[in-house]
Amino acid sequence: MLLTALFVAASLASVRSAAADPSISAKQAEAQSVLAQIQEIDGQLSFAIESYNLANVMLNRIDAVDRVSSQDARVLREVKSFRAQAIESKRRLERAQKAQVQVVADKAAQRSSIEGQLAERQRLLSSIKDQIASLQAAEQRRQERLAAEAQARFRATQSQPAEAAPEALIQSDSVEEAIAPPPDARYGGVVGIAMQYLGTPYVWGGASPGGFDCSGFIMYVYSQVGVSLPHHAASQYGMGTPVSRDQLQAGDLVFFNGLGHAGIYIGGGQFIHAPHTGDVVKISSLSDSWYASTWVGARRL
């Protein structure tokens, strides 16, 4: 009963977690949790099946002893001195057989219950996988739309002056230290290079088209225009000129999370980056809650 209670609690916890955070990463974490529960239930089922098998073996042995005892009883009935012992032996065998029949029934019920739980976990896992696939498809469509918009904006603004960030971003910049206007961006062209790698998988320590981490992606993209950068976000933050969010231009470097993450601004309040393990190079918005709350600053090279 304790094991079942713990299992139900774990299941409810995983469902609540998914409801609180319907992101792809949350759903994948929920799928991992359900897989772990299935493995645990599989282990319980194996033990239950083996216990059921052992109970049946013992029952068969009792039946065999009972048959031998029946033959012995016919002989013992002819020998009065052993009659009482035979009767008592028969009673013990009958009691043992009844008890073992109950054990077999209990083990069969336990196995049936565990199999039912396992089937339910499998159905839940299938549902979670469907949700993950749906979220991934929606994110893929969103990324394709963002990429098309960014490409169009990039082509349209190549010969235009630097754009100002959206009004919402300017308002959210109230806590940022005043920064003198920096020189105009010289490397807006890196945006076109960076967008060639949309969909490239995140690889820890990666700095090539086979896979990037955040600073490796920036380093590689800028190397294509002859700019050498270190493979380290905090070190990249020490280069170039500080830029406030209301003066961002395409090609500026943007930094988050205590300099633990970085990307390349592409205009329109958006940036391109290699987010984290399990994700790919993608476009995100500076106004997204996590990036807005962990904003550190920006640099212009």
Side-chain angles (χ1 to χ4, degrees):
M1 293 299 293
L2 178 58
L3 179 61
T4 301
L6 290 174
F7 167 77
V8 171
S11 300
L12 291 175
S14 67
V15 171
R16 293 195 190 98
S17 176
D21 186 1
S23 66
I24 293 175
S25 60
K27 283 294 178 183
Q28 290 172 331
E30 184 183 357
Q32 289 299 318
S33 174
V34 172
L35 284 171
Q37 294 170 19
I38 288 173
Q39 291 172 350
E40 175 66 21
I41 294 172
D42 277 335
Q44 296 177 35
L45 182 58
S46 296
F47 279 113
I49 290 174
E50 290 307 310
S51 296
Y52 175 79
N53 292 338
L54 176 60
N56 272 316
V57 169
M58 294 177 66
L59 182 58
N60 291 335
R61 288 177 178 172
I62 290 174
D63 286 340
V65 172
D66 192 27
R67 287 193 296 272
V68 172
S69 178
S70 296
Q71 296 172 4
D72 290 344
R74 287 196 297 272
V75 175
L76 292 174
R77 280 195 297 269
E78 299 174 3
V79 184
K80 293 182 179 181
S81 61
F82 294 105
R83 181 177 178 82
Q85 296 179 24
I87 292 173
E88 180 58 27
S89 177
K90 182 178 180 180
R91 289 174 179 170
R92 286 199 303 269
L93 285 169
E94 288 174 348
R95 288 195 298 269
Q97 186 177 33
K98 288 179 181 179
Q100 195 60 23
V101 167
Q102 184 60 49
V103 170
V104 172
D106 291 344
K107 295 300 180 183
Q110 181 184 11
R111 185 182 70 174
S112 177
S113 174
I114 292 174
E115 286 175 338
Q117 295 174 25
L118 182 58
E120 178 61 29
R121 292 291 91 189
Q122 293 286 8
R123 286 192 293 271
L124 177 58
L125 178 61
S126 177
S127 173
I128 292 170
K129 286 182 176 178
D130 289 343
Q131 293 176 44
I132 290 174
S134 177
L135 288 170
Q136 288 175 330
E139 176 63 14
Q140 178 63 30
R141 292 191 296 270
R142 189 179 79 90
Q143 284 296 316
E144 290 171 357
R145 175 177 57 79
L146 291 175
E149 293 172 353
Q151 290 282 11
R153 184 171 56 247
F154 174 69
R155 289 192 295 267
T157 59
Q158 278 298 282
S159 60
Q160 297 179 3
E163 63 167 325
E167 180 64 23
L169 293 178
I170 296 174
Q171 293 174 354
S172 66
D173 198 32
S174 58
V175 297
E176 191 171 312
E177 183 179 347
I179 298 175
D184 287 342
R186 295 184 295 162
Y187 298 109
V190 299
V191 172
I193 298 172
M195 286 193 291
Q196 296 176 19
Y197 301 101
L198 285 169
T200 300
Y202 180 96
V203 174
W204 187 86
S208 73
F212 297 105
D213 62 14
C214 67
S215 59
F217 176 60
I218 294 172
M219 181 182 74
Y220 180 83
V221 168
Y222 262 90
S223 72
Q224 304 308 296
V225 294
V227 177
S228 178
L229 295 175
H231 190 169
H232 182 227
S235 297
Q236 292 172 355
Y237 186 73
M239 305 183 74
T241 305
V243 186
S244 61
R245 275 183 290 186
D246 62 318
Q247 296 184 20
L248 285 171
Q249 295 180 17
D252 290 343
L253 307 186
V254 289
F255 298 85
F256 312 89
N257 196 33
L259 300 181
H261 187 60
I264 300 173
Y265 187 70
I266 64 173
Q270 298 173 339
F271 63 103
I272 186 170
H273 61 139
H276 51 73
T277 300
D279 212 332
V280 296
V281 173
K282 64 196 300 183
I283 295 171
S284 295
S285 173
L286 291 177
S287 62
D288 288 348
S289 60
W290 190 87
Y291 300 111
S293 65
T294 62
W295 169 264
V296 173
R299 291 279 165 164
R300 179 168 301 161
L301 300 177

